[in-house]
Amino acid sequence: MQEIKLIDIKKEILSENADQANEQRRRLEAKGICLVNVMASPGSGKTSVILQTIAALRASFSIGVIEGDLDSMVDSQKIADVGVPAVQIRTGDACHLDAQMLAPALEEMEKHNVNLIFVENIGNLVCPAEFDLGEKLKVMILSVPEGDDKILKYPLMFTVCDALIVNKTDYLTMPGCNFNMAALRERAAGLNPGMAVFEVSAYTGEGIAEWSEWLADKASLKKLQTRN
Amino acid sequence: MQEIKLIDIKKEILSENADQANEQRRRLEAKGICLVNVMASPGSGKTSVILQTIAALRASFSIGVIEGDLDSMVDSQKIADVGVPAVQIRTGDACHLDAQMLAPALEEMEKHNVNLIFVENIGNLVCPAEFDLGEKLKVMILSVPEGDDKILKYPLMFTVCDALIVNKTDYLTMPGCNFNMAALRERAAGLNPGMAVFEVSAYTGEGIAEWSEWLADKASLKKLQTRN
């Protein structure tokens, strides 16, 4: 019988990506740079949370932001407007960033002598969860208007992250808002017990201090934590 | 010089998908069934808009809903709870539905003698825009909390759709809401002049009648419109 050769494209892609991501992680770690991969749905407030975090931590860290979008420079302009180095990656039609796409942006960013880099991934709760960028920390944002059931529908994203930021808590008082924070926290603890959860409003500033302190603590660790 | 054989996987995938989608479109058209592909970010209110549309149109159409999710039966249960046939597709890790995934769900749905089928696609503004399912109408939902800049960042989705539903208009009065409806409408008219735009709140019911009338009119057309 003929042997059948299976070409598993996805497995190959993820394997090549992991190799490059690990190389990037080693290099950044050696240079004392903490890379944070920020993932979320479109419109969950990624840029707003990053801007608030910059305000909280810019006295302690030299910060840069890499923005990933299919098109436009909207977000990188907001970062540059507050005097922080920004690099925009335009993906055209790609629904996630991968380690290779990030490489030239990292090279550009490392010229700025930063030690804390945020990557704002494409707005998507699915594919970004699968692609390691060489980051030290994976952080996801879920906004209150999206609903507390997203953890049931997009479990992988909630499984791989080191921190979950629940943003737009100011929407909890909207008429008709049925977001159940306790239920979300319980499901998150069941799915990913090690994940830190922060309730934040990038609009009012609520919760930003707590999240920023956690991040500062993680970013300052000298040794790279082994991802389990 | 050796000729280089290029295997363009994505092109092949899209081409095979288009063939199956066209076959599905022909069969549904022959049976007088209107298939509506509903696309949006996670948490934009796809299920809520579909439920409101069911309430508005169930006297005139025999309706069914096919739900696509990575995991869970949350949405299909909400449809079944109002006595409408529902089929759940679980994709595991796929970030969009394609024509092949839809085939068994359509077969199941056609047993119910429906003439209007909503497909609630995976919550994702990127990949679903590229995959024809054999639908008659592509409809996207953008919710106010996501922001009016999504058309700049995810232009393809706004380009391929027949209708844009701007949902959660009740959030326009939130403190700090800077959603610019006029700017969105202007950008939408520039990018896709043929796209109908509806301002809707699935929570208050505002705008549902206007959108439902438009849909009823399109769904009743005997001839399949050729997609340009």
Side-chain angles (χ1 to χ4, degrees):
Chain A
M1 210 161 74
Q2 278 289 97
E3 207 185 315
I4 300 169
K5 168 74 180 162
L6 170 68
I7 302 178
D8 188 332
I9 303 263
K10 185 160 182 197
K11 207 169 163 186
E12 283 186 21
I13 289 173
L14 286 175
S15 162
E16 278 177 30
N17 183 71
D19 290 345
Q20 179 151 9
N22 284 328
E23 186 272 326
Q24 284 172 188
R25 186 161 21 244
R26 275 190 297 270
R27 194 185 72 245
L28 293 170
E29 176 66 14
K31 296 176 82 170
I33 300 173
C34 176
L35 186 68
V36 183
N37 182 1
V38 181
M39 297 173 282
S41 299
S44 61
K46 290 184 290 300
T47 314
S48 302
V49 168
I50 289 171
L51 283 168
Q52 286 274 20
T53 312
I54 288 170
L57 295 183
R58 65 191 307 170
S60 317
F61 292 88
S62 173
I63 303 176
V65 181
I66 297 170
E67 293 285 346
D69 280 296
L70 277 73
D71 203 355
S72 98
M73 309 270 287
V74 173
D75 291 341
S76 49
Q77 191 57 56
K78 288 181 188 166
I79 302 299
D81 285 348
V82 298
V84 165
V87 175
Q88 178 77 48
I89 304 176
R90 269 196 206 154
T91 68
D93 64 357
C95 61
H96 60 274
L97 297 177
D98 64 24
Q100 193 180 357
M101 286 182 221
L102 200 67
L106 280 178
E107 194 181 327
E108 190 59 35
M109 192 52 80
E110 286 167 60
K111 294 177 190 166
H112 292 278
N113 287 318
V114 294
N115 56 14
L116 177 58
I117 303 175
F118 295 99
V119 177
E120 183 177 336
N121 217 312
I122 310 291
N124 181 349
L125 281 188
V126 187
C127 309
E130 294 191 77
F131 286 83
D132 188 356
L133 304 180
E135 71 279 325
K136 185 170 180 177
L137 297 169
K138 286 186 203 283
V139 175
M140 73 167 291
I141 301 175
L142 174 73
S143 63
V144 167
E146 293 172 66
D148 58 62
D149 61 352
K150 295 303 158 290
I151 191 168
L152 302 173
K153 297 180 185 174
Y154 306 89
L156 181 62
M157 181 62 83
F158 289 80
T159 305
V160 300
C161 281
D162 302 290
L164 162 63
I165 296 175
V166 185
N167 188 31
K168 306 194 190 179
T169 52
D170 47 308
Y171 284 69
L172 287 167
T173 55
M174 274 286 290
C177 179
N178 57 3
F179 192 97
N180 188 333
M181 192 72 75
L184 175 70
R185 281 184 171 274
E186 192 179 325
R187 288 168 188 154
L191 198 59
N192 184 355
M195 179 169 65
V197 181
F198 301 97
E199 298 176 26
V200 158
S201 165
Y203 174 61
T204 68
E206 184 201 342
I208 292 292
E210 192 187 358
W211 140 249
S212 299
E213 277 165 33
W214 178 90
L215 177 59
D217 183 54
K218 295 286 177 190
S220 305
L221 290 180
K222 288 286 178 296
K223 281 271 166 208
L224 182 70
Q225 302 290 327
T226 309
R227 197 174 290 284
N228 294 318
Chain B
M1 208 163 76
Q2 277 290 97
E3 207 185 316
I4 300 167
K5 168 74 179 160
L6 170 69
I7 302 178
D8 188 333
I9 303 266
K10 185 161 183 196
K11 206 168 163 185
E12 283 185 21
I13 288 173
L14 286 175
S15 162
E16 278 177 31
N17 183 70
D19 291 345
Q20 180 152 7
N22 284 327
E23 186 273 324
Q24 282 170 191
R25 185 161 21 244
R26 276 191 295 270
R27 193 185 71 246
L28 292 170
E29 177 66 17
K31 295 176 82 169
I33 300 172
C34 176
L35 186 68
V36 183
N37 182 2
V38 181
M39 296 173 283
S41 299
S44 60
K46 291 183 289 300
T47 314
S48 303
V49 169
I50 289 171
L51 283 168
Q52 285 273 19
T53 313
I54 288 170
L57 295 183
R58 67 191 305 172
S60 317
F61 292 88
S62 174
I63 303 176
V65 180
I66 297 171
E67 293 285 347
D69 281 296
L70 277 72
D71 203 356
S72 97
M73 308 270 287
V74 173
D75 291 341
S76 49
Q77 192 57 56
K78 288 182 189 167
I79 302 299
D81 284 349
V82 298
V84 165
V87 175
Q88 178 78 46
I89 304 176
R90 270 196 205 153
T91 68
D93 65 357
C95 61
H96 60 273
L97 296 177
D98 64 24
Q100 192 180 0
M101 286 182 220
L102 200 67
L106 280 178
E107 193 181 328
E108 190 59 36
M109 193 51 79
E110 286 168 61
K111 293 178 190 166
H112 291 278
N113 287 318
V114 295
N115 56 14
L116 177 58
I117 303 175
F118 294 98
V119 177
E120 184 177 335
N121 216 312
I122 309 292
N124 180 351
L125 281 188
V126 188
C127 309
E130 294 192 76
F131 285 84
D132 187 358
L133 303 181
E135 70 278 327
K136 186 170 180 177
L137 297 169
K138 286 185 201 287
V139 174
M140 73 166 291
I141 301 176
L142 173 74
S143 63
V144 168
E146 292 172 67
D148 57 63
D149 61 351
K150 294 302 157 292
I151 190 168
L152 302 173
K153 298 181 186 174
Y154 307 90
L156 181 62
M157 181 61 84
F158 289 80
T159 305
V160 300
C161 281
D162 301 291
L164 162 63
I165 297 175
V166 185
N167 187 32
K168 305 194 191 180
T169 53
D170 47 307
Y171 283 68
L172 288 169
T173 55
M174 273 287 288
C177 179
N178 57 3
F179 192 97
N180 188 332
M181 192 71 76
L184 175 70
R185 280 184 173 273
E186 192 180 325
R187 289 168 188 152
L191 198 60
N192 184 355
M195 178 169 64
V197 181
F198 301 97
E199 297 176 26
V200 158
S201 166
Y203 174 61
T204 67
E206 183 202 345
I208 292 292
E210 191 188 358
W211 140 250
S212 298
E213 276 165 34
W214 178 89
L215 176 60
D217 182 54
K218 295 286 178 190
S220 305
L221 290 179
K222 289 286 179 294
K223 281 269 166 209
L224 181 70
Q225 303 290 327
T226 309
R227 197 175 290 282
N228 294 319

PDB file of all heavy atoms in Angstrom, chain A residues 215-228:
ATOM      1  N   LEU A 215       1.346  44.999  35.957  1.00  0.00           N
ATOM      2  CA  LEU A 215       2.181  44.950  34.760  1.00  0.00           C
ATOM      3  C   LEU A 215       3.617  45.388  35.082  1.00  0.00           C
ATOM      4  O   LEU A 215       4.581  44.748  34.641  1.00  0.00           O
ATOM      5  CB  LEU A 215       1.585  45.852  33.669  1.00  0.00           C
ATOM      6  CG  LEU A 215       2.410  45.956  32.385  1.00  0.00           C
ATOM      7  CD1 LEU A 215       2.599  44.588  31.740  1.00  0.00           C
ATOM      8  CD2 LEU A 215       1.753  46.918  31.403  1.00  0.00           C
ATOM      9  N   ALA A 216       3.749  46.454  35.863  1.00  0.00           N
ATOM     10  CA  ALA A 216       5.089  46.939  36.222  1.00  0.00           C
ATOM     11  C   ALA A 216       5.867  45.859  36.957  1.00  0.00           C
ATOM     12  O   ALA A 216       7.061  45.650  36.715  1.00  0.00           O
ATOM     13  CB  ALA A 216       4.965  48.200  37.083  1.00  0.00           C
ATOM     14  N   ASP A 217       5.172  45.156  37.824  1.00  0.00           N
ATOM     15  CA  ASP A 217       5.806  44.076  38.576  1.00  0.00           C
ATOM     16  C   ASP A 217       6.279  42.966  37.639  1.00  0.00           C
ATOM     17  O   ASP A 217       7.421  42.510  37.716  1.00  0.00           O
ATOM     18  CB  ASP A 217       4.788  43.541  39.592  1.00  0.00           C
ATOM     19  CG  ASP A 217       5.379  42.471  40.470  1.00  0.00           C
ATOM     20  OD1 ASP A 217       6.428  42.731  41.083  1.00  0.00           O
ATOM     21  OD2 ASP A 217       4.804  41.358  40.545  1.00  0.00           O
ATOM     22  N   LYS A 218       5.421  42.541  36.718  1.00  0.00           N
ATOM     23  CA  LYS A 218       5.771  41.466  35.774  1.00  0.00           C
ATOM     24  C   LYS A 218       6.884  41.922  34.828  1.00  0.00           C
ATOM     25  O   LYS A 218       7.785  41.154  34.486  1.00  0.00           O
ATOM     26  CB  LYS A 218       4.553  41.076  34.931  1.00  0.00           C
ATOM     27  CG  LYS A 218       3.412  40.467  35.712  1.00  0.00           C
ATOM     28  CD  LYS A 218       3.743  39.055  36.122  1.00  0.00           C
ATOM     29  CE  LYS A 218       2.617  38.475  36.972  1.00  0.00           C
ATOM     30  NZ  LYS A 218       3.002  37.193  37.583  1.00  0.00           N
ATOM     31  N   ALA A 219       6.802  43.177  34.371  1.00  0.00           N
ATOM     32  CA  ALA A 219       7.764  43.675  33.376  1.00  0.00           C
ATOM     33  C   ALA A 219       9.147  43.835  33.989  1.00  0.00           C
ATOM     34  O   ALA A 219      10.154  43.813  33.282  1.00  0.00           O
ATOM     35  CB  ALA A 219       7.284  45.007  32.806  1.00  0.00           C
ATOM     36  N   SER A 220       9.199  43.981  35.319  1.00  0.00           N
ATOM     37  CA  SER A 220      10.479  44.224  35.986  1.00  0.00           C
ATOM     38  C   SER A 220      11.220  42.940  36.309  1.00  0.00           C
ATOM     39  O   SER A 220      12.397  42.975  36.638  1.00  0.00           O
ATOM     40  CB  SER A 220      10.253  44.998  37.287  1.00  0.00           C
ATOM     41  OG  SER A 220       9.532  46.175  37.014  1.00  0.00           O
ATOM     42  N   LEU A 221      10.526  41.793  36.238  1.00  0.00           N
ATOM     43  CA  LEU A 221      11.181  40.528  36.558  1.00  0.00           C
ATOM     44  C   LEU A 221      12.368  40.322  35.626  1.00  0.00           C
ATOM     45  O   LEU A 221      12.268  40.480  34.425  1.00  0.00           O
ATOM     46  CB  LEU A 221      10.199  39.365  36.414  1.00  0.00           C
ATOM     47  CG  LEU A 221       9.093  39.309  37.476  1.00  0.00           C
ATOM     48  CD1 LEU A 221       8.182  38.107  37.213  1.00  0.00           C
ATOM     49  CD2 LEU A 221       9.679  39.216  38.873  1.00  0.00           C
ATOM     50  N   LYS A 222      13.503  39.941  36.193  1.00  0.00           N
ATOM     51  CA  LYS A 222      14.707  39.783  35.385  1.00  0.00           C
ATOM     52  C   LYS A 222      14.641  38.517  34.529  1.00  0.00           C
ATOM     53  O   LYS A 222      15.047  38.490  33.391  1.00  0.00           O
ATOM     54  CB  LYS A 222      15.945  39.732  36.294  1.00  0.00           C
ATOM     55  CG  LYS A 222      16.300  41.074  36.924  1.00  0.00           C
ATOM     56  CD  LYS A 222      16.926  42.011  35.909  1.00  0.00           C
ATOM     57  CE  LYS A 222      17.246  43.374  36.507  1.00  0.00           C
ATOM     58  NZ  LYS A 222      16.023  44.092  36.944  1.00  0.00           N
ATOM     59  N   LYS A 223      14.104  37.468  35.080  1.00  0.00           N
ATOM     60  CA  LYS A 223      14.101  36.176  34.390  1.00  0.00           C
ATOM     61  C   LYS A 223      12.826  36.001  33.581  1.00  0.00           C
ATOM     62  O   LYS A 223      11.737  36.367  34.032  1.00  0.00           O
ATOM     63  CB  LYS A 223      14.178  35.034  35.419  1.00  0.00           C
ATOM     64  CG  LYS A 223      15.586  34.807  35.962  1.00  0.00           C
ATOM     65  CD  LYS A 223      16.324  33.802  35.074  1.00  0.00           C
ATOM     66  CE  LYS A 223      17.807  33.806  35.383  1.00  0.00           C
ATOM     67  NZ  LYS A 223      18.621  33.411  34.235  1.00  0.00           N
ATOM     68  N   LEU A 224      12.973  35.426  32.402  1.00  0.00           N
ATOM     69  CA  LEU A 224      11.796  35.090  31.605  1.00  0.00           C
ATOM     70  C   LEU A 224      11.063  33.928  32.262  1.00  0.00           C
ATOM     71  O   LEU A 224      11.649  32.926  32.607  1.00  0.00           O
ATOM     72  CB  LEU A 224      12.233  34.668  30.202  1.00  0.00           C
ATOM     73  CG  LEU A 224      11.110  34.326  29.234  1.00  0.00           C
ATOM     74  CD1 LEU A 224      10.346  35.575  28.839  1.00  0.00           C
ATOM     75  CD2 LEU A 224      11.687  33.653  28.005  1.00  0.00           C
ATOM     76  N   GLN A 225       9.766  34.121  32.486  1.00  0.00           N
ATOM     77  CA  GLN A 225       8.956  33.040  33.042  1.00  0.00           C
ATOM     78  C   GLN A 225       8.752  31.996  31.930  1.00  0.00           C
ATOM     79  O   GLN A 225       8.421  32.343  30.817  1.00  0.00           O
ATOM     80  CB  GLN A 225       7.591  33.547  33.482  1.00  0.00           C
ATOM     81  CG  GLN A 225       7.641  34.664  34.508  1.00  0.00           C
ATOM     82  CD  GLN A 225       8.125  34.192  35.872  1.00  0.00           C
ATOM     83  OE1 GLN A 225       7.851  33.062  36.250  1.00  0.00           O
ATOM     84  NE2 GLN A 225       8.851  35.027  36.561  1.00  0.00           N
ATOM     85  N   THR A 226       8.923  30.730  32.281  1.00  0.00           N
ATOM     86  CA  THR A 226       8.634  29.694  31.296  1.00  0.00           C
ATOM     87  C   THR A 226       7.133  29.563  31.166  1.00  0.00           C
ATOM     88  O   THR A 226       6.434  29.446  32.166  1.00  0.00           O
ATOM     89  CB  THR A 226       9.235  28.339  31.742  1.00  0.00           C
ATOM     90  OG1 THR A 226      10.597  28.571  32.058  1.00  0.00           O
ATOM     91  CG2 THR A 226       9.117  27.301  30.653  1.00  0.00           C
ATOM     92  N   ARG A 227       6.674  29.615  29.950  1.00  0.00           N
ATOM     93  CA  ARG A 227       5.230  29.456  29.713  1.00  0.00           C
ATOM     94  C   ARG A 227       4.871  27.973  29.823  1.00  0.00           C
ATOM     95  O   ARG A 227       5.520  27.121  29.241  1.00  0.00           O
ATOM     96  CB  ARG A 227       4.884  29.971  28.313  1.00  0.00           C
ATOM     97  CG  ARG A 227       3.423  30.242  28.108  1.00  0.00           C
ATOM     98  CD  ARG A 227       3.211  30.869  26.752  1.00  0.00           C
ATOM     99  NE  ARG A 227       3.719  32.216  26.667  1.00  0.00           N
ATOM    100  CZ  ARG A 227       3.109  33.284  27.207  1.00  0.00           C
ATOM    101  NH1 ARG A 227       1.963  33.133  27.854  1.00  0.00           N
ATOM    102  NH2 ARG A 227       3.634  34.468  27.082  1.00  0.00           N
ATOM    103  N   ASN A 228       3.892  27.672  30.611  1.00  0.00           N
ATOM    104  CA  ASN A 228       3.490  26.262  30.768  1.00  0.00           C
ATOM    105  C   ASN A 228       2.637  25.803  29.592  1.00  0.00           C
ATOM    106  O   ASN A 228       1.778  26.529  29.165  1.00  0.00           O
ATOM    107  CB  ASN A 228       2.706  26.082  32.063  1.00  0.00           C
ATOM    108  CG  ASN A 228       3.572  26.329  33.276  1.00  0.00           C
ATOM    109  OD1 ASN A 228       4.721  25.891  33.316  1.00  0.00           O
ATOM    110  ND2 ASN A 228       3.049  27.057  34.252  1.00  0.00           N
TER     111      ASN A 228
END
